[in-house]
Amino acid sequence: MKKIYLLFIFFNFYFLKSQELLTLQQAVEITLSNNFDIQIVKNQLKVAQENNQIGNAGMLPRVTALVNNTNTLQNATLTQASGNEIDIDGARNFNISYGLALEWTVFDGFQMFHRKKILAETEKLGATEVRIAVLQNVSAVMNQYNLIVNLSKQKKALDTIVQVSEYRWNTAKTRYEIGKASKLEVLNAEVDYLADQSNLMRMLEQIQLAKIRLNELMAREASKNFDVENKVDVAENLQLAEILELANNQNPTLQANYLREKIQESQIKQIKGERLPSIAVRGGYDFVRSQSPFGFIVESEGRNLTYGFGITMNVFDGNQVNRRIKTESILLENTKLEIERQKNTLQSQIHQAYQSYLTNLSLWKLEQKNEQIAKQNLDITLDKFTIGKIPAVDFRIAQQNYSNTVIRLTEAHFLAKQSELFLLELAGNIVVD
């Protein structure tokens, strides 16, 4: 008994030591700043933003600086027509050239414009994926926070149960000492008291595990302890028609599929552009100097300006363009089917979630009344037990009824809030007040 009591004291000390008060708003803000999933998709968005440049789409010219330097050491023996021989030992020839070259594709069958559109839509897709990550993680944090709030309410009710059980046990011992109660009554009271302490210890463990999970979602130290607010409000006025309309216009997963559809349409147009001619203008300026110790010209210099254009056209490539167009068209058709399936699934999820929301909301209101009745019943039973008008077994039943009612109440509240958050997540419209 002493060991169990000491363990109980340790749990309470660990749980009740000085802690920060973490509000729901703060939990969401920390998540938005630290959560790893959100940070990863934000970095992916930055990559898409960097790629969304006209130069990456092939709209800008390419300018290249060129420098060439060639040196030759030559050893030779020259025999003239007269028979004279000339020995050349270590003759140095060199040739140097430098300049700029420009190449600019001015027309490629409009492929560059379709590439730019693909880059722009890819950036939008990245922003949408950030929204998906934010919605999912914020919803998870709010659900986890709500779980801790409701577990804390259950703990508070268990604290009351333990205090009452201790009082009952002490009363039974006093009655036994003066000969008005049996040893069996004392033992039953002690067993119930220890059982209630055990339940409280398990509740403390559940709360700590829930806090560790919330710290994980916020991407901060798992052992960091904190207190939560006493209450999380549940929206009681959600309308099915409004949720359906919001989801159709704002659901990020659906919007992401719309963007993928646009990207694939632009990809098909880009491939079709390969059938048209490509026109590129070219220009350049370079300086050339060469020197040779023998020959008709021993030294030369030149400044050259070059310009022109080139036209290329794909006449036949083994039907590769046609094959790629057909392949992309099939993928586009699948994306359109996926969008329709997503719409159908989304409507089904919303209708199911809304029905659960209404049911859980009604249960929560019902359990609020039950909790008030159970608390009154416990108070009245305690008063009667104190003056010896009811047996211990009836008093224990009142305790258990109150404990069960509080558990049902908090679970109903949690499920009602969970249903609300799921509906708002599907609608793409979670807002933290």
Side-chain angles (χ1 to χ4, degrees):
M1 172 64 189
K2 185 177 180 181
K3 290 182 179 179
I4 295 177
Y5 183 73
L6 290 175
L7 186 60
F8 174 72
I9 293 296
F10 169 77
F11 264 84
N12 272 285
F13 173 76
Y14 180 78
F15 187 81
L16 296 174
K17 66 181 181 179
S18 179
Q19 301 165 9
E20 65 165 319
L21 175 63
L22 179 70
T23 66
L24 179 58
Q25 180 72 41
Q26 290 171 337
V28 171
E29 290 174 355
I30 293 171
T31 301
L32 293 176
S33 299
N34 297 349
N35 182 269
F36 295 116
D37 292 337
I38 294 176
Q39 296 307 309
I40 289 172
V41 293
K42 282 184 176 180
N43 284 335
Q44 292 171 344
L45 173 59
K46 290 178 182 178
V47 172
Q49 290 170 338
E50 288 297 322
N51 286 333
N52 186 18
Q53 307 291 337
I54 59 174
N56 197 30
M59 293 181 174
L60 297 180
R62 180 182 178 87
V63 179
T64 307
L66 304 172
V67 177
N68 289 307
N69 183 12
T70 304
N71 295 275
T72 304
L73 291 177
Q74 189 171 8
N75 297 312
T77 300
L78 304 179
T79 303
Q80 297 178 330
S82 62
N84 294 330
E85 292 185 353
I86 301 175
D87 291 327
I88 299 175
D89 188 13
R92 180 173 175 268
N93 301 329
F94 76 87
N95 186 290
I96 185 171
S97 65
Y98 55 86
L100 296 174
L102 176 145
E103 182 168 352
W104 190 358
T105 300
V106 294
F107 180 77
D108 62 353
F110 305 105
Q111 293 182 65
M112 64 181 72
F113 298 102
H114 297 310
R115 279 194 295 269
K116 182 62 177 68
K117 186 174 181 180
I118 289 172
L119 293 174
E121 297 299 336
T122 301
E123 180 180 342
K124 292 179 183 178
L125 180 59
T128 303
E129 288 173 345
V130 170
R131 283 191 59 217
I132 292 173
V134 167
L135 280 171
Q136 290 176 344
N137 285 279
V138 167
S139 177
V141 164
M142 294 178 73
N143 270 315
Q144 194 67 20
Y145 190 94
N146 185 38
L147 174 62
I148 298 172
V149 170
N150 284 287
L151 289 176
S152 299
K153 290 179 181 179
Q154 292 183 26
K155 176 195 169 293
K156 185 177 180 180
L158 285 174
D159 284 334
T160 301
I161 295 297
V162 169
Q163 291 173 5
V164 173
S165 292
E166 185 178 15
Y167 170 76
R168 175 188 157 206
W169 181 37
N170 290 330
T171 301
K173 287 191 292 184
T174 301
R175 286 166 55 82
Y176 174 72
E177 290 171 357
I178 62 176
K180 290 189 176 181
S182 66
K183 182 67 175 178
L184 180 61
E185 182 178 337
V186 177
L187 293 175
N188 285 334
E190 184 178 3
V191 168
D192 290 339
Y193 173 60
L194 293 177
D196 292 337
Q197 278 192 330
S198 177
N199 290 335
L200 181 56
M201 290 171 63
R202 291 188 180 279
M203 180 56 61
L204 291 172
E205 179 191 22
Q206 289 183 48
I207 293 174
Q208 287 305 119
L209 293 176
K211 288 183 177 181
I212 291 171
R213 173 56 181 158
L214 182 56
N215 281 329
E216 180 186 357
L217 290 170
M218 293 187 293
R220 65 178 192 172
E221 186 181 352
S223 61
K224 191 170 183 64
N225 215 336
F226 54 88
D227 286 326
V228 294
E229 296 174 301
N230 295 329
K231 135 181 222 193
V232 173
D233 294 327
V234 178
E236 302 181 34
N237 58 348
L238 297 182
Q239 301 298 318
L240 178 60
E242 294 178 2
I243 296 294
L244 287 169
E245 183 178 359
L246 284 172
N248 190 51
N249 295 326
Q250 296 183 183
N251 179 270
T253 303
L254 187 60
Q255 298 305 313
N257 281 331
Y258 283 135
L259 290 170
R260 292 187 182 97
E261 180 185 20
K262 291 181 180 179
I263 290 173
Q264 288 176 327
E265 288 174 345
S266 295
Q267 286 174 335
I268 292 174
K269 292 177 181 178
Q270 180 186 337
I271 296 172
K272 288 180 178 179
E274 296 180 18
R275 293 171 172 169
L276 300 177
S278 176
I279 302 174
V281 295
R282 302 183 182 93
Y285 177 84
D286 62 330
F287 171 82
V288 179
R289 182 186 177 197
S290 62
Q291 186 177 35
S292 177
F294 56 90
F296 292 104
I297 300 175
V298 296
E299 186 174 350
S300 68
E301 288 186 3
R303 293 172 178 80
N304 306 315
L305 176 65
T306 60
Y307 58 91
F309 67 93
I311 300 177
T312 61
M313 185 173 180
N314 180 15
V315 178
F316 180 73
D317 64 351
N319 290 322
Q320 291 300 307
V321 170
N322 291 337
R323 179 191 61 79
R324 288 162 56 202
I325 291 174
K326 289 179 181 179
T327 300
E328 290 295 329
S329 297
I330 294 172
L331 294 176
L332 175 60
E333 181 63 25
N334 276 347
T335 300
K336 291 180 178 180
L337 292 172
E338 179 62 31
I339 290 173
E340 294 304 314
R341 181 173 68 177
Q342 180 65 28
K343 286 181 179 180
N344 185 268
T345 301
L346 187 60
Q347 285 200 354
S348 176
Q349 288 178 322
I350 290 174
H351 279 86
Q352 292 180 51
Y354 192 76
Q355 184 58 54
S356 297
Y357 165 75
L358 294 178
T359 301
N360 292 325
L361 205 59
S362 299
L363 287 173
W364 176 47
K365 293 178 180 179
L366 177 63
E367 295 300 343
Q368 284 177 313
K369 296 179 182 178
N370 287 340
E371 191 270 341
Q372 295 173 359
I373 295 171
K375 184 65 171 64
Q376 291 178 1
N377 183 52
L378 179 61
D379 292 339
I380 294 171
T381 305
L382 177 59
D383 292 338
K384 289 185 177 182
F385 176 76
T386 302
I387 60 178
K389 286 191 174 181
I390 61 171
V393 63
D394 291 340
F395 178 60
R396 184 60 180 173
I397 291 173
Q399 278 186 295
Q400 292 174 336
N401 286 340
Y402 175 68
S403 176
N404 293 335
T405 301
V406 171
I407 291 174
R408 290 198 309 271
L409 172 62
T410 54
E411 287 180 348
H413 177 271
F414 173 77
L415 292 174
K417 186 64 179 178
Q418 189 179 53
S419 300
E420 173 204 335
L421 289 174
F422 186 51
L423 281 170
L424 295 178
E425 182 180 344
L426 292 174
N429 194 41
I430 291 182
V431 178
V432 183
D433 297 325

